[in-house]
Amino acid sequence: DWLFVNPKVGVTWRVQPSVELFAALGQASREPTRSDMFAGADDLDDAAAAELLPLTRVKPERLTDLELGARARRGRLQASVNAFAMQFRNEIAAIGQVAVTGSQIRKNVPRSSRVGVEAELGWQAHETLLLTGNATLMRARIAEYTDEASGTTFRDVPPVLTPALIANAQAAWTPRRDLELSLSARHVAESQLANDGNAALVTPAFTLADLGAAYTLRATTLRLQVQNLFDSDAYAAGYTDGSVRYFFPVAARTVMATVTLRF
């Protein structure tokens, strides 16, 4: 049993009718999952009991988050920016290993942080054309991590699968009421496969593009989506044994068609 108290407080100041400033401070807690408590094992049995029990070995995670930002709107343009500072205690963090079930193995790290800025932009360039984009730039660090296998301690290292940059952009064009076309792109920077700061054990950065179209005729809508339009190589996640990188690839170019009937 866990008892969490998660207080939050925020304030918004409307400087002008179209400009707002805001600040928020809050705390949140998260309990370990079954997979966390079983260290990735599928079940708890006599053979694993000595290593896994008591189940209170994995502690709940606590986060304190401070955010400061602004929102503005002018004509067809709207934008927002948000700076955040997240401090974790006993974060239940991935360690770069995968269990036999395929799930990420996670353990507590005493202190870790995420500090960065998020930005969003939307522009109604024309009554038929909407352009949007967002990006997150972040510095993530684990204060101290000890590898149980080697006993080596690493300090001030980036955590597993936490890219420093994620950016998205989309254009949506509606030339007619019954037709919508969209093109989107997503860029993800490289990320670590282990909590040791080894620059060779990372997932490569990648950029993907998707294309979409939807046509409505009376009560029927046909939607066509082409994901990974340029058939790019991309790896959404992975793990390492300390010397070799293993990846979970993003699917190659994929076409999906959906028909929606209304009656």
Side-chain angles (χ1 to χ4, degrees):
D1 293 327
W2 294 288
L3 174 64
F4 297 139
V5 178
N6 298 323
K8 297 176 177 63
V9 62
V11 60
T12 299
W13 178 30
R14 183 166 295 170
V15 183
Q16 299 175 6
S18 60
V19 179
E20 292 181 343
L21 304 179
F22 61 87
L25 177 65
Q27 189 172 90
S29 300
R30 181 167 70 98
E31 70 272 18
T33 67
R34 179 181 186 275
S35 179
D36 297 332
M37 291 186 287
F38 288 0
D42 188 51
D43 207 349
L44 178 63
D45 53 28
D46 292 340
E51 181 181 353
L52 300 180
L53 294 177
L55 294 180
T56 52
R57 288 185 179 185
V58 184
K59 304 174 184 177
E61 169 185 295
R62 189 176 80 241
L63 162 66
T64 302
D65 180 31
L66 172 65
E67 304 204 10
L68 304 170
R71 291 183 288 262
R73 178 189 295 269
R74 183 172 183 178
R76 295 184 174 186
L77 189 67
Q78 60 181 4
S80 66
V81 62
N82 178 49
F84 59 88
M86 307 167 70
Q87 299 293 327
F88 292 84
R89 293 294 180 268
N90 294 319
E91 179 185 358
I92 305 171
I95 63 172
Q97 299 175 16
V98 177
V100 293
T101 57
S103 61
Q104 285 276 348
I105 296 178
R106 302 175 184 271
K107 295 182 179 180
N108 289 123
V109 292
R111 292 188 301 118
S112 57
S113 63
R114 313 281 193 277
V115 178
V117 61
E118 302 168 312
E120 295 186 10
L121 183 66
W123 179 33
Q124 191 75 52
H126 186 269
E127 61 183 12
T128 63
L129 179 62
L130 175 63
L131 304 176
T132 58
N134 62 74
T136 300
L137 184 64
M138 176 173 62
R139 185 181 189 273
R141 287 294 183 272
I142 293 175
E144 186 175 287
Y145 173 77
T146 300
D147 178 63
E148 293 185 359
S150 65
T152 305
T153 297
F154 303 94
R155 293 179 173 83
D156 193 35
V157 290
V160 165
L161 299 177
T162 310
L165 173 65
I166 298 176
N168 298 278
Q170 182 178 44
W173 183 37
T174 312
R176 300 168 18 177
R177 292 184 61 182
D178 58 359
L179 179 63
E180 178 183 327
L181 304 173
S182 64
L183 177 65
S184 60
R186 176 179 178 85
H187 176 77
V188 179
E190 66 180 26
S191 58
Q192 296 291 140
L193 290 174
N195 294 323
D196 57 5
N198 188 339
L201 299 178
V202 300
T203 60
F206 64 86
T207 301
L208 297 177
D210 298 330
L211 183 66
Y215 178 69
T216 300
L217 178 62
R218 296 178 183 176
T220 302
T221 299
L222 172 62
R223 184 174 300 276
L224 187 67
Q225 295 172 286
V226 184
Q227 299 175 343
N228 195 358
L229 177 63
F230 300 111
D231 204 21
S232 303
D233 291 332
Y235 307 101
Y239 62 98
T240 179
D241 60 6
S243 58
V244 178
R245 298 182 298 171
Y246 300 91
F247 298 123
F248 296 106
V250 172
R253 184 186 298 114
T254 304
V255 179
M256 298 177 61
T258 305
V259 177
T260 302
L261 304 176
R262 300 176 183 85
F263 52 88

